[in-house]
Amino acid sequence: MEQFEEAFEKAMARGSDGVPGAAVAVVNQEGNYVYQNVKGHDGVHNGATALNFDRTFFLASCTKLITSIAALQTVERDLIRLDDPLDEHLPELTTQPIIVGGVDATFEWKQATKSITLRHLLSHSSGAVYDFMDSALTAWRQSREETPTVSQSGIVAKDYAMPRTFEAGEGWMYGTSLDWAGLLVARLNSMSLEQYVEENISIPLGMTSFTWHLSRKPHVEGNLVRMSVRGEDGKLSAGTHPPFPEPVEEGGGAGLYANVHDYTRVLADLLKDSPILLKKTSVDMLFAPQFEEGGAGLSALYANSEMTYKPMVGQSIDGIVINHGLGGLLVQEDIQRETYFKPKGTLTWSGLPNLLWSINRERGLALMFAVQVIPWNDKEVQSLSAQFETAVWRHLSR
């Protein structure tokens, strides 16, 4: 780890040209820290203080893993099956037409013929995508004099009730599927997603920092790390604090706040022979490849790397063998380059402010890299993150 630690020190020493601060951790299946480090400050604002390990991070899309766990818990309760049609439960989504086009600001419609299932939602194969990532949806928004955006209210049924871009099961694209999965969890369990996560994930693992609503947990709000924004000149400036207004409801795709200690409690639990949150068979499904070789889903997964997971595979998809599980991107064969390594069997995903988590059950470790810098795929942060992960898998794992 010495080479990473040297890079860590240099990144923090570069001021607004480098990385303001980061917390990194590696845990084993007992939940013990194999490695833990924190350096830098809680932002670049006036009055920034030294970062410590108890600080709160905006998790963005790292929220999705928590929602996947909640959804599989709901399956375990026999409230839904993975392949049941969701027409009755999520009509705001399932009645949406499919939009095609987008060239020269044109688009057309076709009626969907296949039902969406929870499996489709958890594997991003439902056709529900972020509007700013699709040209047809962008044209549709413009035709309505609307701006493509990510929901800040958390009211999924209203903010994300928009056309889908392909038939369920016939593609892959990152988007709003996990937000809809969170709404499904809330409806089937007759409680808000926040309440569900508190009762069924936070309390069983003894965690206190998980929340979508900072006002409900003052100790979490008071520890919030400030967002830093990288400008076109490469310099960091202070971002909005908090990064988004407090939501009305909760979206399962983003919006959760937590500290690194609590998030790694979840990662460690997924490594256990007898997990607390899920049955072992359900954890297996998180790690199970969902797309057939040569199928439309797998082809689309490779084709859509640039806007979605490229930083998680070392900035290049050349030679990689991947799939998608029910919990994130799944590495099917070692990604081994001179300066980057990610082993076979790793389940992984990231979050907008350049966070990263990875789990590998064969090697018995999980890791988290937490920082608050936007925009996504910041080259300074991603270089450091890649060095951290590479050092973990090459030097700490069995």
Side-chain angles (χ1 to χ4, degrees):
M1 298 295 291
E2 290 182 5
Q3 188 173 357
F4 160 70
E5 289 177 345
E6 182 179 343
F8 204 5
E9 290 279 5
K10 288 181 178 178
M12 301 302 129
R14 289 173 53 203
S16 64
D17 290 322
V19 179
V24 301
V26 185
V27 291
N28 59 22
Q29 62 184 11
E30 286 79 35
N32 297 325
Y33 289 109
V34 175
Y35 181 82
Q36 184 180 6
N37 204 341
V38 59
K39 292 187 185 298
H41 293 79
D42 64 348
V44 295
H45 56 285
N46 291 333
T49 59
L51 196 62
N52 62 58
F53 205 66
D54 296 326
R55 300 300 294 271
T56 303
F57 290 83
F58 176 66
L59 296 181
S61 288
C62 293
T63 304
K64 290 179 169 69
L65 176 64
I66 307 306
T67 302
S68 295
I69 292 169
L72 290 179
Q73 287 178 336
T74 302
V75 172
E76 290 181 353
R77 292 188 175 91
D78 293 324
L79 296 176
I80 194 77
R81 291 175 296 186
L82 275 171
D83 298 310
D84 285 347
L86 300 181
D87 304 79
E88 175 186 352
H89 306 294
L90 298 175
E92 301 93 340
L93 170 64
T94 59
T95 59
Q96 294 293 331
I98 294 173
I99 189 170
V100 294
V103 179
D104 297 325
T106 62
F107 56 88
E108 57 186 41
W109 310 102
K110 66 177 183 178
Q111 195 60 40
T113 61
K114 297 184 178 181
S115 295
I116 300 173
T117 68
L118 179 56
R119 186 185 301 276
H120 294 139
L121 294 181
L122 299 186
S123 60
H124 292 291
S125 58
S126 71
V129 311
Y130 289 130
D131 51 12
F132 61 88
M133 287 186 170
D134 183 84
S135 59
L137 281 175
T138 299
W140 171 72
R141 285 290 193 197
Q142 291 173 346
S143 75
R144 296 159 57 93
E145 298 184 346
E146 297 173 350
T147 303
T149 186
V150 175
S151 172
Q152 295 186 14
S153 74
I155 306 176
V156 175
K158 172 180 174 291
D159 294 348
Y160 288 147
M162 56 190 178
R164 292 185 288 132
T165 62
F166 54 85
E167 285 274 12
E170 295 188 359
W172 182 93
M173 186 56 189
Y174 196 50
T176 63
S177 288
L178 269 294
D179 293 281
W180 289 105
L183 180 59
L184 181 68
V185 169
R187 287 179 172 175
L188 292 176
N189 289 280
S190 301
M191 64 179 72
S192 71
L193 184 58
E194 168 114 345
Q195 183 182 356
Y196 182 89
V197 168
E198 183 71 16
E199 293 182 7
N200 297 281
I201 296 178
S202 291
I203 291 175
L205 294 183
M207 305 184 308
T208 62
S209 68
F210 275 30
T211 187
W212 277 261
H213 303 275
L214 291 172
S215 66
R216 298 179 186 176
K217 293 189 175 183
H219 70 285
V220 177
E221 182 177 23
N223 273 327
L224 182 61
V225 177
R226 288 178 177 260
M227 196 68 67
S228 298
V229 182
R230 182 88 62 190
E232 293 184 1
D233 61 356
K235 304 290 186 181
L236 292 170
S237 61
T240 304
H241 187 75
F244 294 102
E246 181 149 343
V248 178
E249 297 178 6
E250 303 90 37
L256 192 60
Y257 294 87
N259 60 40
V260 172
H261 176 78
D262 281 356
Y263 199 89
T264 55
R265 298 309 91 197
V266 176
L267 300 181
D269 189 63
L270 298 179
L271 290 170
K272 293 178 181 177
D273 293 329
S274 299
I276 294 171
L277 297 180
L278 290 169
K279 296 176 182 178
K280 188 72 175 334
T281 53
S282 296
V283 178
D284 291 343
M285 288 191 288
L286 285 174
F287 285 79
Q290 296 299 302
F291 301 133
E292 295 180 357
E293 191 70 33
L298 191 57
S299 296
L301 178 64
Y302 279 94
N304 291 307
S305 67
E306 191 70 32
M307 297 183 291
T308 55
Y309 61 83
K310 195 174 178 182
M312 290 172 263
V313 293
Q315 300 292 350
S316 172
I317 65 169
D318 291 344
I320 66 171
V321 181
I322 56 170
N323 209 297
H324 203 281
L326 296 184
L329 186 72
L330 184 63
V331 177
Q332 296 284 78
E333 297 292 341
D334 287 353
I335 302 173
Q336 187 154 258
R337 307 183 185 115
E338 183 178 350
T339 59
Y340 183 79
F341 179 68
K342 198 161 197 158
K344 173 183 178 180
T346 301
L347 187 72
T348 188
W349 203 253
S350 67
L352 175 66
N354 292 284
L355 300 102
L356 170 75
W357 62 264
S358 294
I359 315 172
N360 191 296
R361 295 192 295 174
E362 290 78 9
R363 292 175 177 251
L365 294 180
L367 62 86
M368 187 175 193
F369 179 97
V371 68
Q372 300 281 262
V373 174
I374 54 176
W376 178 77
N377 201 10
D378 177 82
K379 67 178 183 179
E380 303 297 336
V381 176
Q382 288 298 329
S383 174
L384 186 62
S385 174
Q387 290 180 72
F388 168 63
E389 182 162 34
T390 298
V392 170
W393 299 128
R394 283 183 172 164
H395 302 299
L396 296 183
S397 63
R398 58 187 182 225

